[in-house]
Amino acid sequence: MNVFKFGGASVKSGLAVKNVAKIIQEHKNDSLLVVVSAMGKTTNMLENLVEAVFNESKNKQSIFNEIKVFHEEIMAGLVENSTRYFFEVENLFIELECQLDTELSDISYVELYDRIVPFGELISTKIINTFLNASGISTRWIDARNFIKTDQKFSKASVNWYATKELIEKRLKPIVNRQIVVTQGFIGRSSLGLSTTLGREGSDYSASIFAYGLDASSVTIWKDVLGVYNADPKQLYSAELIPQIGFQQAIELAYYGASVIHPKTVQPLQEKQIPLYVKSFVERELSGTLVSEKNNLELPSCIIFKDKQALLDFKTKDFSFIVENHMTHIFQVFSDLGISVNLIQNSAISFRCIVDDEPKLFENLAEIFKDKFSVRVTSTHRLLTIYNYTNGAEEKYLEDKKVLLEQKSLITAQFLFS
């Protein structure tokens, strides 16, 4: 039993969807669960729609229309007389359009986000499942929210592993043993029955969750690159493909921001020793990268850039030391607000941290901390991480840059710059 995951780039057009169908056709006799993301840049468009609805903007209908037309063009490129086949997709667009008139008095931004953004995955998988069956490949569509159970922390929900594992083992596994299943990444459902999302780019994580519950033989993530590189090949032409990497090394790289694998993906696979393959959906005959239990594999220096970073600088107002109770307070607020911390550095009377730059989350920080701290926020920075660091390796990347913060350990160096 295997799990395949296809990201947005792999289903961004009718031609791309047909290529995905070819890959699935080659494995049609296998026990297979297929996890699919929203098509192309649909999630970005849906996030724009959330903004428009929440702010009661006049352009919310035009954004909705743009999303609908984009998918209609894909469907038209798949089969003739597409409306005959894709009526279930039309039903989803009717549901999505109803969200334009959401009563906003009792709903937060993140709850609205989790009502609207999951439609990207739902629509994508309905289109793909319908096309596969029309092409003679028998598949079954299932709603991932019926199996991935979460808490109610909207936009960054945590998985209820006990309930999720039990549902996948008892109800989903028998289905996958009989028939190829198509489902969504990124989405779940809370104990109160509300839609939740697992964090941006969370579809890889969903594939890992399903693989864990299914005791899968392997997971394959199909990408628009050949595998895992020591740097983003779209940014650095000298990037090297890494043919094999250990679970622990992959976790480290993902944590530091290597975008090819979602940070939470690897640990559930490591727990059950499920190998992960990262392969190209364009050149699928190539072996790509294998992520497995092998440890201490020799890697080149890995160069990771993380954009849109903010520096938060806390200073105590009473000139007392930054001690445990202060840290507890700061991190509790971060947890409540959903602020992701990428690096911390503290001295006796100051605390500095680098976080993902999400201005909406910072609006009330000064007010929240006003009794104990003065808080300074600067944004639009970049974070460079060098894994397997050698002295001076950063110089060619930071030439003429202003370094705001740096931190080094035995094998890793990080530099915040603007």
Side-chain angles (χ1 to χ4, degrees):
M1 183 178 295
N2 299 305
V3 175
F4 283 1
K5 185 267 176 175
F6 293 96
S10 67
V11 290
K12 65 182 180 181
S13 66
L15 190 62
V17 171
K18 290 178 180 179
N19 183 60
V20 167
K22 288 180 183 177
I23 295 172
I24 295 173
Q25 172 74 28
E26 293 168 358
H27 297 270
K28 67 177 183 179
N29 295 322
D30 299 340
S31 295
L32 184 64
L33 178 114
V34 181
V35 177
V36 186
S37 299
M39 292 176 154
K41 299 297 183 181
T42 298
T43 300
N44 292 341
M45 291 191 283
L46 285 166
E47 288 177 339
N48 292 338
L49 184 60
V50 174
E51 289 280 348
V53 173
F54 192 74
N55 295 316
E56 300 183 282
S57 172
K58 293 180 180 179
N59 69 338
K60 61 184 179 182
Q61 187 67 50
S62 64
I63 296 172
F64 168 81
N65 293 340
E66 180 186 3
I67 296 168
K68 187 175 182 183
V69 168
F70 170 72
H71 288 88
E72 287 174 342
E73 289 175 349
I74 290 176
M75 290 185 285
L78 294 174
V79 295
E80 293 184 6
N81 190 18
S82 60
T83 53
R84 173 188 166 193
Y85 290 92
F86 295 107
F87 57 89
E88 289 183 321
V89 177
E90 180 60 31
N91 291 339
L92 286 171
F93 274 113
I94 291 170
E95 291 181 36
L96 176 57
E97 190 167 20
C98 289
Q99 296 294 330
L100 303 188
D101 299 317
T102 298
E103 173 56 53
L104 299 171
S105 58
D106 296 318
I107 185 171
S108 66
Y109 178 88
V110 287
E111 183 176 350
L112 180 66
Y113 184 100
D114 281 4
R115 286 190 188 183
I116 290 177
V117 174
F119 278 95
E121 276 69 20
L122 296 170
I123 292 166
S124 173
T125 51
K126 279 291 186 184
I127 290 173
I128 289 163
N129 186 69
T130 301
F131 176 67
L132 289 170
N133 282 284
S135 303
I137 306 170
S138 178
T139 60
R140 177 171 173 177
W141 183 92
I142 65 112
D143 190 331
R145 296 172 297 183
N146 292 336
F147 299 94
I148 295 184
K149 298 303 177 182
T150 73
D151 62 13
Q152 204 151 298
K153 194 171 184 180
F154 296 114
S155 83
K156 293 182 180 179
S158 295
V159 175
N160 179 332
W161 280 98
Y162 178 81
T164 297
K165 183 174 180 287
E166 185 175 43
L167 284 167
I168 292 173
E169 284 181 343
K170 290 184 177 179
R171 299 186 185 179
L172 182 59
K173 196 170 188 177
I175 299 172
V176 181
N177 279 326
R178 295 193 304 268
Q179 188 176 17
I180 294 174
V181 168
V182 176
T183 192
Q184 309 78 37
F186 180 56
I187 65 175
R189 182 175 285 135
S190 75
S191 58
L192 296 181
L194 301 175
S195 291
T196 56
T197 58
L198 305 179
R200 204 64 159 82
E201 309 294 341
S203 290
D204 288 359
Y205 185 35
S206 295
S208 176
I209 295 166
F210 280 117
Y212 182 90
L214 292 169
D215 290 312
S217 301
S218 70
V219 174
T220 302
I221 298 176
W222 297 91
K223 308 284 289 187
D224 58 354
V225 292
L226 298 182
V228 177
Y229 288 78
N230 72 322
D232 185 346
K234 297 173 184 176
Q235 294 189 43
L236 297 177
Y237 294 115
S238 60
E240 302 173 38
L241 179 68
I242 302 173
Q244 194 167 352
I245 186 172
F247 281 129
Q248 194 61 43
Q249 292 168 321
I251 290 169
E252 292 285 336
L253 293 181
Y255 172 78
Y256 288 128
S259 59
V260 74
I261 302 175
H262 186 276
K264 294 181 179 179
T265 300
V266 182
Q267 284 180 295
L269 304 182
Q270 182 182 31
E271 175 71 18
K272 290 202 171 181
Q273 297 295 293
I274 300 170
L276 168 65
Y277 297 90
V278 182
K279 300 185 68 172
S280 166
F281 58 75
V282 177
E283 300 183 64
R284 57 185 185 274
E285 70 283 357
L286 300 180
S287 55
T289 298
L290 168 62
V291 184
S292 66
E293 185 51 39
K294 290 189 177 180
N295 294 316
N296 301 318
L297 294 169
E298 187 173 343
L299 299 181
S301 290
C302 297
I303 311 301
I304 303 164
F305 288 99
K306 201 165 188 179
D307 296 326
K308 297 182 179 178
Q309 299 295 289
L311 176 61
L312 307 186
D313 199 339
F314 293 78
K315 285 187 169 54
T316 55
K317 287 189 170 181
D318 60 1
F319 304 106
S320 63
F321 289 166
I322 295 278
V323 290
E324 287 80 359
N325 60 325
H326 286 130
M327 301 285 278
T328 300
H329 178 49
I330 290 171
F331 279 100
Q332 184 60 59
V333 171
F334 284 178
S335 176
D336 293 342
L337 295 177
I339 294 175
S340 300
V341 179
N342 300 317
L343 184 66
I344 64 173
Q345 194 173 82
N346 68 288
S347 65
I349 58 171
S350 72
F351 172 79
R352 308 175 83 194
C353 60
I354 301 168
V355 303
D356 293 337
D357 190 2
E358 300 181 61
K360 281 185 175 294
L361 301 180
F362 306 150
E363 289 175 353
N364 298 319
L365 277 185
E367 180 65 23
I368 293 170
F369 290 114
K370 66 179 182 180
D371 293 336
K372 293 184 177 180
F373 304 101
S374 60
V375 184
R376 181 170 176 261
V377 180
T378 59
S379 57
T380 66
H381 305 308
R382 299 185 81 193
L383 178 63
L384 166 64
T385 300
I386 303 178
Y387 185 77
N388 281 354
Y389 173 73
T390 56
N391 191 41
E394 75 278 9
E395 291 177 2
K396 62 181 177 180
Y397 305 110
L398 299 176
E399 187 176 1
D400 300 324
K401 306 295 184 185
K402 181 181 179 182
V403 176
L404 305 172
L405 183 151
E406 67 177 74
Q407 190 161 287
K408 297 177 183 179
S409 65
L410 288 175
I411 62 170
T412 304
Q414 294 183 281
F415 306 87
L416 184 74
F417 66 95
S418 57

